[in-house]
């Protein structure tokens, strides 16, 4: 009993320290055996039980629909990136312009969820790549960020997943991603520091070179006002 309590305390402390376990999102082998409709039904009942345990009156007009709303939001929206069928199709095109410098898509709005407390992560992602003969549509970079953000996440893992996906799509190692985000598990609970944000980066290929990395960071810091 004492061993189990110690392990539970360690897991709780690990979550507060925002430690990730792997580069891949931890998923069970039977993750997709249930349909989305079945998942919504299960989650709805569990959310209902949580709310009842908290002492909430689910007969109140304001709360009646909350369990189903939460269940649909989990499956179809904020955790929609868990399902491989929702992975964006990323068509590539020949680099006919022969543009050989880096292309940067910055200030991509990012909404994710901390996997330790299931509270929001809100911030910006900045993505860059250097073409080796193919290019990808600009909106697809945003969609890739959005797809991997829509799952329980650790920010470092999110960086890695975005970069690995674009490397595979473009057939090049020369991809980079910087994320600057606020974690509400830090801002609204625990230490409750509303000013702090977390910055993480993943650099592949030529972006590991200091000169190119610095150029990328300079692009990010350019003022963009229209």
């Amino acid at each position: 009993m004492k061993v189990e309590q110690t392990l539970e305390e360690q897991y709780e402390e690990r979550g507060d320290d925002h430690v990730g376990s792997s580069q891949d999102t931890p998923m069970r082998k039977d993750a997709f055996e249930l349909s989305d409709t079945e998942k919504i039904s299960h989650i709805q009942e569990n959310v209902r039980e949580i709310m009842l345990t908290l002492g909430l009156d689910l007969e109140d007009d304001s709360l009646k629909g909350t369990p189903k709303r939460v269940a649909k939001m989990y499956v179809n929206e904020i955790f929609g990136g868990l399902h491989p069928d929702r992975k964006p199709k990323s068509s590539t095109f020949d680099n006919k312009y022969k543009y050989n410098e880096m292309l940067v898509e910055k200030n991509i709005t990012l909404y994710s969820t901390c996997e330790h407390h299931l509270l929001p992560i809100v911030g910006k992602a900045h993505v860059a790549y250097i073409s080796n003969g193919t290019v990808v549509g600009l909106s697809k970079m945003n969609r890739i960020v959005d797809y991997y953000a829509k799952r329980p996440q650790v920010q470092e893992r999110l960086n890695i997943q975005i970069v690995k996906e674009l490397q595979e799509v473009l057939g090049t190692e020369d991809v980079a991603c910087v994320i600057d985000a606020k974690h509400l598990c830090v801002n609204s609970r625990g230490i409750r520091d509303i000013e702090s944000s977390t910055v993480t980066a993943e650099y592949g290929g030529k972006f590991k070179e200091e000169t190119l990395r610095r150029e990328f960071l300079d692009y990010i810091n350019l003022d963009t006002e229209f």
Side-chain angles (χ1 to χ4, degrees):
M1 188 71 178
K2 191 174 285 187
V3 173
E4 289 179 2
Q5 185 177 353
T6 301
L7 285 172
E8 187 175 340
E9 289 172 354
Q10 287 177 351
Y11 290 141
E12 187 170 349
E13 183 178 347
R14 183 184 179 93
D16 274 332
D17 287 339
H18 297 267
V19 177
S21 59
S22 66
Q23 292 187 6
D24 297 319
T25 302
M27 300 288 290
R28 297 202 323 268
K29 291 182 179 179
D30 63 350
F32 307 111
E33 289 185 2
L34 294 177
S35 68
D36 284 356
T37 301
E38 290 172 319
K39 288 181 179 181
I40 288 170
S41 179
H42 281 286
I43 294 169
Q44 179 179 344
E45 287 306 310
N46 285 306
V47 172
R48 177 180 172 81
E49 185 61 32
I50 290 170
M51 295 178 71
L52 288 172
T53 302
L54 290 171
L56 294 168
D57 179 8
L58 295 188
E59 294 305 310
D60 184 90
D61 287 344
S62 180
L63 298 177
K64 266 184 181 177
T66 298
K68 188 167 187 177
R69 281 192 294 266
V70 172
K72 289 172 69 176
M73 175 185 69
Y74 275 11
V75 174
N76 297 329
E77 297 179 68
I78 65 174
F79 297 142
L82 289 172
H83 205 300
D85 287 351
R86 293 191 175 95
K87 187 175 178 179
K89 302 290 189 294
S90 301
S91 301
T92 56
F93 309 93
D94 291 337
N95 182 10
K96 294 181 179 179
Y97 296 110
K98 305 301 179 186
Y99 181 74
N100 296 318
E101 301 297 324
M102 75 174 74
L103 183 148
V104 180
E105 183 80 356
K106 68 176 190 172
N107 294 330
I108 300 172
T109 300
L110 180 152
Y111 292 100
S112 191
T113 304
C114 168
E115 70 179 34
H116 301 121
H117 294 94
L118 298 185
L119 285 172
I121 300 171
V122 182
K124 299 287 185 182
H126 314 281
V127 182
Y129 71 89
I130 300 172
S131 172
N132 71 344
T134 59
V135 295
V136 68
L138 294 179
S139 68
K140 293 300 187 291
M141 298 168 73
N142 296 59
R143 293 182 191 281
I144 286 170
V145 170
D146 187 58
Y147 172 72
Y148 284 103
K150 284 183 174 175
R151 53 179 67 183
Q153 271 293 11
V154 175
Q155 187 170 318
E156 297 93 325
R157 181 197 296 140
L158 179 56
N159 266 107
I160 293 168
Q161 290 177 338
I162 292 167
V163 168
K164 285 176 66 177
E165 179 66 19
L166 276 168
Q167 286 175 331
E168 184 175 336
V169 167
L170 291 161
T172 178
E173 291 295 307
D174 303 332
V175 179
C177 177
V178 170
I179 295 173
D180 183 3
K182 283 182 174 288
H183 293 237
L184 265 69
C185 53
V186 173
N187 301 148
S188 67
R189 60 160 297 283
I191 192 63
R192 298 172 76 177
D193 181 352
I194 63 171
E195 297 299 329
S196 65
S197 68
T198 302
V199 180
T200 52
E202 177 72 8
Y203 301 110
K206 294 177 181 177
F207 284 98
K208 293 182 181 293
E209 300 170 9
E210 185 176 349
T211 302
L212 202 66
R213 187 166 65 245
R214 171 51 53 193
E215 184 180 345
F216 171 46
L217 295 175
D218 286 343
Y219 277 133
I220 291 174
N221 290 321
L222 287 173
D223 288 331
T224 307
E225 294 182 8
F226 298 102

